[in-house]
Amino acid sequence: MIRRLFSLLLCGALLLSLSPPAAAWDGLSGADAPVRAGTAGDVMYLDEYGQEKHTQEQGIQVTEVTADTTAWTDGWYVVNGEVPITSRITVTGKVHLILADNCTLNAENGGINVADGDSLTIYAQSSGGSAGALVAESLNDGSAGIGGGAYSDGVTIIINGGEITATSSNGAGIGGGSYSVGGTVCINGGEITATSSNGAGIGGGHYSSRSDGGTIIITDGKVTATSFVGAGIGGGRGGAGGNITINGGTVTANSESGAGIGGGAGGAGGKITINSGTVEA
């Protein structure tokens, strides 16, 4: 319990540092709330502790994602309905994404790019079978499904909920692009499936010592991570595992040639700490 609280506090500190300053709120709520074109009114979401929060109570304005919303800058976004996006989404600054219940963002034609120094935090509205979904796939270059492009280090990705499916060929499913360190990935909840061929399922991309796993903290959720040559969780092909801590959840990690959890093929194991949870690797 203490370890789980510590990891949540660590991810919570990341979230606090990534939260934009609250805008002024005029006290209106529900049907009385002003909604400008392209924006959503009050949106409920579950934070990293699974606690219900409301954007309007915090003075946060939320932009609704449409098929044309491919450049996400500092702020909050919500997915309502079925939204297909046919090019790679770019994240600039500190971006927060809410997946509304029974809604899906389909980014199969490029995934989501989170570059050096930028961050993406993902929230759901429920933890059950109605949780919103995100499908992100990048197969045509060295980019991660969700994360950096080739030679792009330092990304920060925090997943607090939702059904997340992320796929890449030479980048990580979630984490770094090819020739890139995984950055920081925190998973506090949700159902996550991350797959790569040469990168890690979650962690570093393909290839060499620049493909280390970075920092990966799993506190809760159901996580399935798979690779052929990289680690399931950790380094991409040739990359070390990085710093991996599992404090809860159900984790399944597999690789054909690398470690389930640790280094990719030819890479060192890294520092792996498993305190609790159900882990199969």
Side-chain angles (χ1 to χ4, degrees):
M1 180 66 182
I2 293 175
R3 293 190 182 100
R4 172 179 166 80
L5 180 60
F6 176 78
S7 62
L8 278 169
L9 287 172
L10 178 58
C11 289
L14 277 170
L15 279 166
L16 184 61
S17 68
L18 299 175
S19 297
W25 178 48
D26 59 12
L28 298 176
S29 62
D32 296 322
V35 180
R36 293 193 292 275
T39 65
D42 183 43
V43 181
M44 187 275 283
Y45 67 95
L46 301 179
D47 68 8
E48 68 272 27
Y49 301 100
Q51 299 298 308
E52 183 176 311
K53 295 291 181 67
H54 289 262
T55 58
Q56 200 166 63
E57 291 175 356
Q58 301 174 77
I60 295 170
Q61 180 172 301
V62 184
T63 299
E64 185 170 346
V65 176
T66 70
D68 298 322
T69 314
T70 58
W72 302 351
T73 56
D74 276 310
W76 289 69
Y77 295 79
V78 63
V79 176
N80 288 318
E82 303 293 319
V83 182
I85 294 183
T86 58
S87 61
R88 188 163 175 81
I89 298 164
T90 59
V91 166
T92 304
K94 301 169 183 177
V95 170
H96 302 255
L97 177 68
I98 300 170
L99 302 172
D101 284 349
N102 298 307
C103 297
T104 301
L105 173 60
N106 190 330
E108 287 184 313
N109 292 317
I112 301 176
N113 192 78
V114 187
D116 296 359
D118 299 324
S119 65
L120 174 64
T121 304
I122 301 172
Y123 308 85
Q125 292 183 322
S126 69
S127 56
S130 62
L134 166 62
V135 179
E137 186 174 87
S138 178
L139 300 178
N140 296 324
D141 57 20
S143 298
I146 303 173
Y151 300 96
S152 178
D153 294 335
V155 304
T156 298
I157 300 166
I158 300 173
I159 300 174
N160 295 318
E163 297 180 5
I164 314 297
T165 303
T167 307
S168 180
S169 54
N170 288 320
I174 299 173
S178 60
Y179 300 94
S180 301
V181 176
T184 299
V185 178
C186 286
I187 298 175
N188 298 316
E191 185 169 340
I192 294 91
T193 302
T195 306
S196 179
S197 297
N198 292 305
I202 300 173
H206 161 85
Y207 165 75
S208 80
S209 60
R210 282 189 51 82
S211 301
D212 292 353
T215 298
I216 301 166
I217 302 171
I218 299 174
T219 302
D220 205 347
K222 180 180 179 181
V223 178
T224 303
T226 306
S227 179
F228 290 98
V229 184
I233 298 174
R237 181 180 181 183
N243 295 302
I244 303 167
T245 303
I246 299 175
N247 287 326
T250 301
V251 179
T252 302
N254 296 294
S255 174
E256 292 288 331
S257 301
I261 299 175
K271 181 180 179 181
I272 302 168
T273 304
I274 300 176
N275 293 313
S276 61
T278 301
V279 179
E280 179 181 341

